[in-house]
Amino acid sequence: MAIEVKRESLDTKSIHVSPSYVDKDGLHYLVGSDRPTPTVDINHLRLHEGRAFKAYRIYPSATKLADGASCNIAVAWASGVYAHISVDASCGGNAELYIYEGATVSGGTSFTAIKRNRPSATTSQSAILINPTVTVTGTEIDAELVTGGAGRKSGGGGTSALEIVLNPLTTYLFRLTNVSGTAHMAELFLEWYE
């Protein structure tokens, strides 16, 4: 049986403290075996706070990523924003994923970060370009193989980079390069919270 707590004051000093929490309706409950403390991981919490975003580029069967071609996504965050980002990449054949810091880019297609919490009014403090012209790649900070096979009989593969905390006011280049010997479907997916 859950016990609802009616508090006269939340700042009363007491020697004895019983853990409690506030539910979505603003009601206070004592923690117990029938009502344990709710917990979520930080990524899930940031999603509910409206601070989780994503950006992507996909090459479907109609417009496959050519052999030797790269999918590039360049992103920079505003002053004071340290994005915590994870990268997913997949390709129908062998590919290589690179992350560069301090890239110099221009042009490309502007992309507005997609809110993962759709009702939230919060917008990302990022600037994103899809397939910009890359003048300088910058410093390589991660490289991963996407193993999927070579040629027309490849089976496809994917990879997911561990979460990285990125600097503000720095351009990051995320690059997926098809090295399989033939064109394949591919995608590059960035997911972060600010």
Side-chain angles (χ1 to χ4, degrees):
M1 175 177 94
I3 300 172
E4 182 182 334
V5 179
K6 299 287 186 185
R7 297 183 180 179
E8 293 178 11
S9 173
L10 293 177
D11 61 358
T12 300
K13 294 181 180 168
S14 175
I15 296 173
H16 303 287
V17 177
S18 296
S20 66
Y21 71 94
V22 180
D23 72 3
K24 66 179 178 55
D25 298 318
L27 298 174
H28 293 264
Y29 289 97
L30 289 177
V31 172
S33 61
D34 60 336
R35 214 174 270 265
T37 303
T39 60
V40 295
D41 67 42
I42 193 68
N43 292 317
H44 193 98
L45 176 63
R46 296 296 180 252
L47 170 65
H48 285 276
E49 291 174 341
R51 296 172 50 193
F53 304 94
K54 67 180 181 177
Y56 65 91
R57 175 65 168 101
I58 185 171
Y59 292 84
S61 60
T63 56
K64 295 177 181 176
L65 184 61
D67 176 51
S70 294
C71 170
N72 293 309
I73 301 178
V75 188
W77 283 269
S79 177
V81 178
Y82 293 86
H84 296 236
I85 193 165
S86 296
V87 182
D88 289 315
S90 61
C91 186
N94 288 339
E96 298 168 350
L97 172 66
Y98 297 95
I99 302 174
Y100 299 98
E101 182 176 62
T104 303
V105 300
S106 61
T109 303
S110 181
F111 186 96
T112 301
I114 297 168
K115 298 183 298 185
R116 292 187 49 231
N117 180 335
R118 300 305 297 154
S120 173
T122 304
T123 57
S124 175
Q125 296 184 58
S126 63
I128 305 169
L129 293 173
I130 305 292
N131 287 328
T133 300
V134 179
T135 309
V136 177
T137 56
T139 303
E140 183 181 303
I141 61 171
D142 192 26
E144 299 186 27
L145 298 175
V146 181
T147 55
R152 298 189 184 279
K153 295 187 179 183
S154 56
T159 188
S160 178
L162 295 174
E163 183 174 277
I164 302 171
V165 180
L166 303 178
N167 289 312
L169 301 175
T170 304
T171 300
Y172 288 88
L173 176 64
F174 302 87
R175 173 175 280 176
L176 176 66
T177 303
N178 178 0
V179 295
S180 69
T182 189
H184 281 289
M185 294 186 295
E187 69 175 354
L188 184 53
F189 183 87
L190 313 178
E191 184 177 49
W192 70 91
Y193 63 86
E194 302 173 357

